[in-house]
Amino acid sequence: MDKEISKRSIKRQKLEGKTVLRCLRCSEDDPELIELHHVYGRNNSEETVPLCKNCHFKVTKQQNKLPRKVRSSNASRKDKLRFMLVSMGVLMEGMGKQLRLIGLEADSLWARLL
């Protein structure tokens, strides 16, 4: 997601009091709580995803468990891969919880849709 377009979109949504963006981990959609998270770290990529402030903190906290050297822009390929694996793992962990809840609530969801 392009950083500037995302920022403008979030700002517009906050002004209008609605949001299309949802937290990738927990589905929070309050525009005041949505932030853009650099998936592979600010030093390594401009790729961002929407996260609520709470999930953003949790993901960043896990990323920061890796040594600074691993997170730097001049990290080795091996270290960058480690960082990517941790980043994607933490994001997918939250998404997995949401998918599981959707699956468990599928009967009531189908009843409303059909």
Side-chain angles (χ1 to χ4, degrees), residues 81-92:
L81 178 59
R82 285 178 62 199
F83 186 83
M84 289 172 63
L85 290 171
V86 168
S87 298
M88 294 310 294
V90 177
L91 289 172
M92 291 168 76

Side-chain angles (χ1 to χ4, degrees), residues 50-107:
L51 293 176
C52 70
K53 292 180 181 204
N54 191 40
C55 288
H56 193 183
F57 174 81
K58 290 176 181 178
V59 171
T60 301
K61 183 178 177 182
Q62 292 301 312
Q63 289 175 324
N64 288 341
K65 286 184 177 182
L66 291 168
R68 196 176 288 274
K69 173 185 127 183
V70 173
R71 297 179 277 134
S72 75
S73 57
N74 59 358
S76 69
R77 285 184 70 191
K78 183 176 100 179
D79 284 342
K80 285 185 180 189
L81 178 59
R82 285 178 62 199
F83 186 83
M84 289 172 63
L85 290 171
V86 168
S87 298
M88 294 310 294
V90 177
L91 289 172
M92 291 168 76
E93 184 177 69
M95 292 178 354
K97 288 178 185 177
Q98 290 302 309
L99 290 172
R100 188 174 63 249
L101 289 174
I102 290 168
L104 292 171
E105 297 171 357
D107 287 340

Side-chain angles (χ1 to χ4, degrees), residues 33-58:
L33 300 177
I34 301 297
E35 301 177 334
L36 295 176
H37 171 72
H38 287 83
V39 179
Y40 305 118
R42 209 175 306 213
N43 294 326
N44 299 311
S45 171
E46 286 297 315
E47 177 107 19
T48 59
V49 294
L51 293 176
C52 70
K53 292 180 181 204
N54 191 40
C55 288
H56 193 183
F57 174 81
K58 290 176 181 178

Side-chain angles (χ1 to χ4, degrees), residues 10 13-14 16-22 28-31 34:
I10 290 173
Q13 291 173 38
K14 284 181 180 180
E16 294 172 1
K18 62 180 183 176
T19 186
V20 179
L21 294 175
R22 291 181 177 272
E28 172 66 60
D29 66 351
D30 182 339
I34 301 297

